Amino acid sequence: MWHTILSELAQQDVPIEATELTLVHQAPRIFVYGGGRSGLALRGLAMRLIQLGKTAYVVGETTTPAIQAGDLLLVASASGTTTGTVNIATTAHEAGAQLWLLSTTNDSPLAKLADVVTILPGKSKDRVGSEQASIQPMGSLFEQAVWLFGDALTLAYMDFAGVAEAEMRKRHANLE
């Protein structure tokens, strides 16, 4: 089954552009949000962003401050229509924050709000447009893609910003 999952992920290349790396680099604070398993994947990315030296927050945590102009909100929504995610993105947009959407479609309410849309493999609950078919149940392929995209973004940002793994280790949690 591993081969099936890996072959589904390999059907679509997802480049990370210099403009996206610049967006991350210039953002004073980065907020992440996604529902369900997509949100869990973005929590992993928030950890890596902190280890990269960025200030990052998970939306919904009690210690998350108000988003402000210049901040970046990175959201994951396969369909781009999830009501709670649209509401959060709208609030961030109204506050003047940048919005980066990870999705399976660029034709959605979230895509219309987003400054950057990255299309990942997978199918949404609504199965719209040209989404990639998957043998996996529900949103598994998209959720895996969100996690792997976070790891790819980490590697690309390390190179872009000249952050060594040794530097990241210094910021790794020590209260474990």
Side-chain angles (χ1 to χ4, degrees), residues 152-165:
L153 179 60
T154 298
L155 288 172
Y157 190 81
M158 287 173 72
D159 184 56
F160 179 84
V163 180
E165 183 180 353

Side-chain angles (χ1 to χ4, degrees), residues 138-176:
M138 298 177 278
S140 291
L141 178 59
F142 177 73
E143 295 146 3
Q144 294 155 358
V146 171
W147 188 278
L148 291 176
F149 182 81
D151 284 347
L153 179 60
T154 298
L155 288 172
Y157 190 81
M158 287 173 72
D159 184 56
F160 179 84
V163 180
E165 183 180 353
E167 191 178 336
M168 291 174 69
R169 285 188 187 281
K170 293 176 187 174
R171 295 186 197 100
H172 191 281
N174 60 2
L175 298 177
E176 298 182 305

Side-chain angles (χ1 to χ4, degrees), residues 59-82:
V59 174
E61 294 294 321
T62 57
T63 56
T64 302
I67 198 164
Q68 299 173 349
D71 289 336
L72 173 63
L73 173 64
L74 176 59
V75 297
S77 173
S79 69
T81 63
T82 309

Side-chain angles (χ1 to χ4, degrees), residues 2-141:
W2 279 84
H3 290 27
T4 300
I5 293 168
L6 294 174
S7 73
E8 285 187 349
L9 284 164
Q11 287 180 31
Q12 178 181 329
D13 187 36
V14 182
I16 298 171
E17 306 294 336
T19 54
E20 297 161 344
L21 294 168
T22 300
L23 186 65
V24 169
H25 191 67
Q26 291 178 346
R29 302 180 306 170
I30 301 169
F31 294 72
V32 300
Y33 181 78
R37 290 167 38 119
S38 300
L40 293 174
L42 287 180
R43 286 174 178 266
L45 176 57
M47 177 191 298
R48 288 290 185 247
L49 289 168
I50 289 167
Q51 292 164 351
L52 287 165
K54 299 301 297 179
T55 301
Y57 299 98
V58 175
V59 174
E61 294 294 321
T62 57
T63 56
T64 302
I67 198 164
Q68 299 173 349
D71 289 336
L72 173 63
L73 173 64
L74 176 59
V75 297
S77 173
S79 69
T81 63
T82 309
T83 303
T85 308
V86 172
N87 291 341
I88 286 167
T90 300
T91 300
H93 180 75
E94 290 170 355
Q98 301 268 349
L99 176 63
W100 185 357
L101 171 64
L102 306 179
S103 187
T104 61
T105 179
N106 59 8
D107 183 21
S108 70
L110 278 172
K112 287 177 178 65
L113 284 172
D115 298 288
V116 176
V117 179
T118 299
I119 303 299
L120 299 179
K123 60 185 179 185
S124 70
K125 62 185 176 204
D126 301 327
R127 198 69 220 271
V128 271
S130 60
E131 292 177 347
Q132 181 177 327
S134 175
I135 192 171
Q136 299 181 68
M138 298 177 278
S140 291
L141 178 59

